Amino acid sequence: MISIKSEREIALMKEAGRVVALVFDGIKDKIKPGLTTLELADICENIIRENGAIPTFKDYQGFKGAVCISINEELVHGTPSAHRVLKNGDIVSVDVGATKHGFVADACRTYPVGVVSQEAMNLMKVTKEAFFEGCKVIKEGVHLGDVSNAIQTYVEAHGYSLPREFSGHGVGEHLHEDPMIFNYGPKGVGPILKAGMTLAIEPMVALGRPEVRIGKDGWVARMKDGKLSSHYENSIVVTKDGYEILTRLED
């Protein structure tokens, strides 16, 4: 069942979303060669806690990190480690969840580390743009499948692929709520969007083939072909005539 949030609940989600946005603002200039993923996760956790929230992912279904940090061919769910060091030319996805006043906000960004290839820059650019292409069709009365189709159409037009094993989701009092939000599929299917729905939309895009494999830790998902992947996500609320991003600071 897809929940419709009240004005009060949306206001509380905005507070959680602001914390997530503050994390991204706080790490953007700190992601450099030589930084370990555990050091990066600690920076994220400190910002979350300093702003009155808790890291949603920590101990979620046994996950040990405060945030998910995935490098290069790692698509999602990378566990921070003191032994993983960022190198010049890497790209790194930082997936952040914050819970405040009982509500969750969830978002992800992929960053270049030092000087990266043009190929990597293009992949990150298209991944971010795919999120906004999907959101362009959002408003009350639209099928959720129209959002999925817009993401797929944009990504595949640029020659990239979309792994099928992972999707976006509803978000609110829980990290994962209904509905599942695929990054692919036909128009005109799925639930009808209504104002007050809060959704985490997250294109996950592969440079090569879409197949993934799960690591021995049971968490990190890597591209089978070893090629780069990128991830961009925001939590949004559906409005009568569009949407509002909850996990981005005001311009």
Side-chain angles (χ1 to χ4, degrees), residues 49-71:
R49 294 192 185 278
E50 286 168 1
N51 285 279
I54 61 172
T56 309
F57 301 163
K58 198 160 195 176
D59 299 320
Y60 180 79
Q61 297 184 352
F63 186 76
K64 298 304 181 186
V67 296
C68 299
I69 301 179
S70 309
I71 303 172

Side-chain angles (χ1 to χ4, degrees), residues 22-23 66 72 83-85 92 104 118 155 167 173-174 177 180 195 197 226 230 232 235 244:
L22 287 170
V23 172
N72 294 335
H83 305 292
R84 295 296 307 280
V85 180
V92 58
V104 178
Q118 188 61 51
V155 168
S167 67
E173 291 184 87
H174 305 282
E177 299 183 351
M180 293 181 67
M197 288 181 176
S230 178
Y232 187 90
S235 296
E244 182 180 356

